[in-house]
Amino acid sequence: MEWIDRLNSAIRYMEEHLTDEIDYEQLGRIACCSSWHFQRMFSYMAGIPLSEYIRRRKMSLAAVDLLSSDARIIDIAEKYGYRSPTAFNRAFQSIHGTAPSSVRQEGISVRSFPPITFKITVKGVEEMNYRIETKEAFRIVGVSVPLEKEIEKNFAVIPSKWQEISLNGTLQTLAQMMNQEPMGVLGVSTCNEEEPWRYYIAVSTSLEAGDYEEYTVPAATWAIFPGEGTNQSIQELERRIVTEWLPTSGYEYGNAPDIEVYQSPDPQNARYEVWIPVTKKQG
């Protein structure tokens, strides 16, 4: 089954379980990647976070239930996993712009969000430079923060940690410890299903860790993409990797961390590399 077919199979799984608590790890298994990588692929492809898509689909179906049945609002709320009527009302109103109690009144409009189906359109407008490298395991030393299973919850946590260690001198101290490849300050997302999810800001070094944490990045094959620009440009490069390069590359996600290598720390004129763990596509 091709990569895009697996993604659509995961969408079908979601549709079949909208009245359950959707298992993100199962979505990853269907797509043959970690739930972290699945959420990244989905958000880049769909243009919205996975949790928001699920919320829109549930509220679309809840509106249909309200209009086509005389079921109690509290029962419809529970059907879609809302134990609190207040939480259901808030979610419903954020999507439809009106309270569920008013939907059955004549003339009230609601919104419909149909299921997404993905297909590949190859644009080929702008070239992408990359290289494939297989590397042995290497040790990193630094600081880390735990990551939430819904990845959009981390969008505030990670920048806040970068700011904290930049202001308190930790980032400068770590940079002085760097003495091994890859040379640069590293942002390492350890988001497989075998260990707790964490984000490390670290360097590759042979020096003692001291008061800092250490982690061993496993041996893996990486697709490495160079880039430069602002902090926003790295996000755009990651989006292009997932939506343009990966589907037609002959590779799929491997079971190793995502790595950002910051070779120049200037936030307005940074030089960096994005490392994506990959394996050769089977068949």
Side-chain angles (χ1 to χ4, degrees), residues 12-118:
R12 288 192 292 273
Y13 169 85
M14 279 190 272
E15 286 299 306
E16 292 166 0
H17 293 82
L18 283 173
T19 56
D20 306 324
E21 183 173 348
I22 293 175
D23 184 347
Y24 281 23
E25 291 186 9
Q26 178 62 15
L27 292 173
R29 285 190 287 271
I30 293 169
C32 296
C33 61
S34 71
S35 60
W36 168 270
H37 287 135
F38 177 82
Q39 289 181 75
R40 289 187 67 195
M41 286 191 295
F42 183 92
S43 63
Y44 285 137
M45 298 277 285
I48 59 171
L50 177 60
S51 61
E52 174 63 13
Y53 171 78
I54 292 171
R55 187 165 64 98
R56 290 183 183 184
R57 287 294 300 134
K58 286 189 174 190
M59 293 304 100
S60 288
L61 296 181
V64 171
D65 288 352
L66 284 166
L67 290 167
S68 62
S69 75
D70 57 1
R72 296 185 307 164
I73 292 174
I74 192 170
D75 293 333
I76 294 174
E78 288 185 359
K79 176 180 178 181
Y80 293 101
Y82 289 84
R83 299 291 176 261
S84 161
T86 302
F88 177 72
N89 286 348
R90 188 164 51 244
F92 192 93
Q93 191 148 356
S94 72
I95 297 298
H96 297 289
T98 189
S101 58
S102 67
V103 167
R104 287 168 174 154
Q105 298 174 19
E106 187 172 344
I108 298 296
S109 297
V110 293
R111 295 173 178 171
S112 175
F113 294 93
I116 282 176
T117 300
F118 291 113

Side-chain angles (χ1 to χ4, degrees), residues 230-270:
T230 65
N231 288 341
Q232 283 70 38
S233 68
I234 195 168
Q235 296 172 3
E236 174 59 17
L237 176 57
E238 290 172 346
R239 184 196 66 79
R240 292 191 64 210
I241 292 168
V242 170
T243 60
E244 298 178 26
W245 181 80
L246 189 61
T248 58
S249 65
Y251 289 91
E252 52 196 12
Y253 273 118
N255 187 26
D258 287 352
I259 301 176
E260 298 164 352
V261 182
Y262 293 95
Q263 300 159 325
S264 168
D266 183 351
Q268 298 305 314
N269 190 27

